[in-house]
Amino acid sequence: QVALKESGPALVEPTQTLTLTCTFSGFSLSTSAMRVSWIRQPPGKALEWLARIGWDDDKLYSTSLKTRLTISKDTSKNQVVLTMTNMDPVDTATYYCARDVVYIGGYYYYYYMDVWGKGTTVTVSS
Amino acid sequence: EIVLTQSPGTLSLFPGERATLSCRASQSVSSSYLVWYQQKPGQAPRLLIYGASIRATGIPDRFSGSGSRTDFTLTISRLEPEDFAVYYCQQYGSSPLYSFGQGTKLEIK
């Protein structure tokens, strides 16, 4: 059974660096077509995708946040780590990790995030 | 940049009624890259539909997706009490690589 769980500090001060860990089970990030994405959701607002790392160590970042984000993986530990620098109160949000799948069906490639962690809430405040 | 606009912002219906939720893209999106999620208060999003019309595993057949290019629709044929939630569409593959709509809140009338 696939499961993901986010962990990290609940409170971060402005200008600090946030480090979040996604620990997963039920799949391997060394398997072809497997990826893990990070998504966040400010209170009462919509979802925002942040970054993705793939089985081949390919990394993608949100255009608007890429200067502040770093994503990495430890395949042996089944973990993906996201760091976000220079935190600001507007970064207050629930941060989710999700399994991000490429499925080949016939002639088509389908992309979707099929299993999500429960999320971890991060507040940025002094 | 592709922007997804969902409408209406809030939809108030009775259980048993049919719900039609819209997701409009500012540029053409490949149908195989259009996804719908359901999110209930205090919970993570749940995958409903991928490829614009393919139900994810375990999703009841009262949920259906349709559309192409810039106009996509999520339909719930007969609303059950557990269907009242926020629904998001999402696209892959075009700048930005991933984007979500702002969500439609489906509430009990």
Side-chain angles (χ1 to χ4, degrees), chain A residues 8-97:
Chain A
L11 180 65
V12 175
E13 292 188 359
T15 75
Q16 284 190 333
T17 293
L18 171 68
T19 299
L20 296 173
T21 300
C22 175
T23 303
F24 57 88
S25 60
F27 70 99
S28 173
L29 249 185
S30 58
T31 299
S32 179
M34 286 296 161
R35 297 97 65 91
V36 170
S37 274
W38 284 94
I39 307 95
R40 70 178 179 179
Q41 185 173 38
K45 296 188 177 181
L47 300 162
E48 178 185 19
W49 175 79
L50 301 175
R52 184 191 83 192
I53 191 164
W55 80 99
D56 54 359
D57 209 37
D58 181 44
K59 300 167 187 174
L60 289 171
Y61 297 100
S62 162
T63 303
S64 60
L65 293 168
K66 61 182 177 181
T67 60
R68 299 174 53 205
L69 295 173
T70 303
I71 192 169
S72 63
K73 65 182 174 72
D74 186 331
T75 305
S76 65
K77 293 183 178 179
N78 280 351
Q79 290 182 333
V80 171
V81 175
L82 181 75
T83 61
M84 180 180 291
T85 60
N86 194 25
M87 293 292 285
D88 183 272
V90 301
D91 298 312
T92 293
T94 298
Y95 287 75
Y96 298 99
C97 61

Side-chain angles (χ1 to χ4, degrees), chain A residues 35 37 39 41 45-49 52 60 63 96 100-101 103 108-114 116-119, chain B residues 31-33 35 37 39 42-47 50-51 54 88 90 92 95-103:
Chain A
R35 297 97 65 91
S37 274
I39 307 95
Q41 185 173 38
K45 296 188 177 181
L47 300 162
E48 178 185 19
W49 175 79
R52 184 191 83 192
L60 289 171
T63 303
Y96 298 99
D100 191 336
V101 174
Y103 168 65
Y108 299 100
Y109 285 68
Y110 300 99
Y111 298 81
Y112 49 84
M113 292 181 277
D114 65 341
W116 295 56
K118 295 184 187 301
Chain B
S31 295
S32 62
Y33 298 164
V35 185
Y37 299 93
Q39 187 178 34
Q43 296 185 16
R46 173 195 182 196
L47 174 67
Y50 64 92
I54 303 171
Y88 293 96
Q90 183 227 331
Y92 283 80
S95 181
L97 184 61
Y98 294 58
S99 59
F100 290 90
Q102 83 280 16

